[in-house]
Amino acid sequence: MAPAARSAATTGASSKAILSPVNIEPDKLLAAWAYVKTKGKPNVLIVGSSDVLPSIPFVKAIQSELTALCPDCTQKHLDVPVSEWATKIQPGVQSALISDPGINFVLPIYDSMSQFVFPALRITGSEGAVKIASFNGTPFVLDMLREGQVDMDIGESLGWAGYAAIDNIMRMTCGLPTVAKLNVPLLVFDENNVKTAGIPANFNDGYGDAYLDGFRKLWKLN
């Protein structure tokens, strides 16, 4: 089993795993989650936005990981520009579900897309049978997860990311070696731990605050 799939399997059991993007990227984790949750039989619809340049390699990485995990499994790609999310995602997903009733996972690469994906599941009677997993940890999507409309959402602490960015800027300012990656860990939210993000969810809760002491020690402020 690929590393991302092993992590998805472990995370699905514990719902507490914090994963470093140095080892496991969110795109591969999404693919692995769909693979593990469907017991190795994913039929996936990926929803992306190629007008946002980072989304192109993100989608390709999901596709590659799915192919590596399950060469014979089915995957489709729906490309919707950001400006058309509100009008094109729901009918696009709805059409895909009608044309292929075997789809069992929808992976919108940005979790805010989920608000337009879920109505398509409800309209086609696919709610429950088709799961949604995504990335960003946006509070209203975590609320959707808590309400059972989303299966999983990968988040990362904005506070932690901010401290990591400041650390790297100070390194550059002081002529010290910089880091290639900020090493901000990812947190997998599912039904078992989503309440830690707050009710309603917010951007800060759920991730803990260990990074605060960690950076203070690194910066010799303690």
Side-chain angles (χ1 to χ4, degrees):
M1 186 182 289
R6 284 198 300 270
S7 295
T10 303
T11 303
S14 69
S15 303
K16 294 291 184 181
I18 294 180
L19 308 170
S20 170
V22 172
N23 299 315
I24 301 173
E25 300 292 347
D27 39 35
K28 293 183 178 181
L29 181 54
L30 286 174
W33 184 271
Y35 176 80
V36 170
K37 295 287 280 188
T38 59
K39 302 186 187 306
K41 298 179 180 180
N43 184 340
V44 174
L45 174 64
I46 305 165
V47 185
S49 293
S50 60
D51 58 326
V52 181
L53 293 182
S55 75
I56 297 174
F58 198 111
V59 169
K60 288 182 178 179
I62 294 175
Q63 293 170 328
S64 296
E65 187 71 7
L66 284 170
T67 299
L69 291 170
C70 186
D72 299 325
C73 292
T74 302
Q75 53 176 286
K76 298 178 178 66
H77 176 215
L78 174 65
D79 187 30
V80 182
V82 174
S83 61
E84 298 181 337
W85 283 9
T87 57
K88 296 290 181 66
I89 290 180
Q90 179 179 329
V93 173
Q94 187 174 329
S95 177
L97 293 172
I98 292 172
S99 64
D100 184 0
I103 291 175
N104 50 27
F105 249 96
V106 180
L107 303 179
I109 65 169
Y110 303 119
D111 64 359
S112 294
M113 293 172 160
S114 302
Q115 64 186 310
F116 307 114
V117 172
F118 181 74
L121 305 189
R122 178 161 286 177
I123 290 171
T124 57
S126 305
E127 184 180 354
V130 180
K131 306 295 185 182
I132 301 172
S134 193
F135 168 64
N136 262 349
T138 304
F140 82 82
V141 181
L142 295 177
D143 289 334
M144 291 177 65
L145 197 163
R146 194 181 65 253
E147 294 167 2
Q149 298 175 4
V150 172
D151 188 57
M152 184 271 276
D153 197 18
I154 305 168
E156 58 184 350
S157 168
L158 296 184
W160 197 322
Y163 270 70
I166 290 171
D167 176 75
N168 215 25
I169 290 170
M170 290 193 297
R171 289 170 183 269
M172 290 185 283
T173 301
C174 297
L176 298 174
T178 59
V179 294
K181 292 188 176 183
L182 296 183
N183 299 325
V184 179
L186 305 175
L187 177 60
V188 173
F189 288 102
D190 72 357
E191 62 181 354
N192 296 304
N193 68 347
V194 68
K195 290 183 179 180
T196 64
I199 303 176
N202 62 75
F203 283 108
N204 296 315
D205 290 350
Y207 301 96
D209 58 3
Y211 69 92
L212 296 175
D213 284 339
F215 278 110
R216 289 185 66 85
K217 290 178 181 177
L218 177 64
W219 298 339
K220 303 185 185 304
L221 297 177
N222 284 349

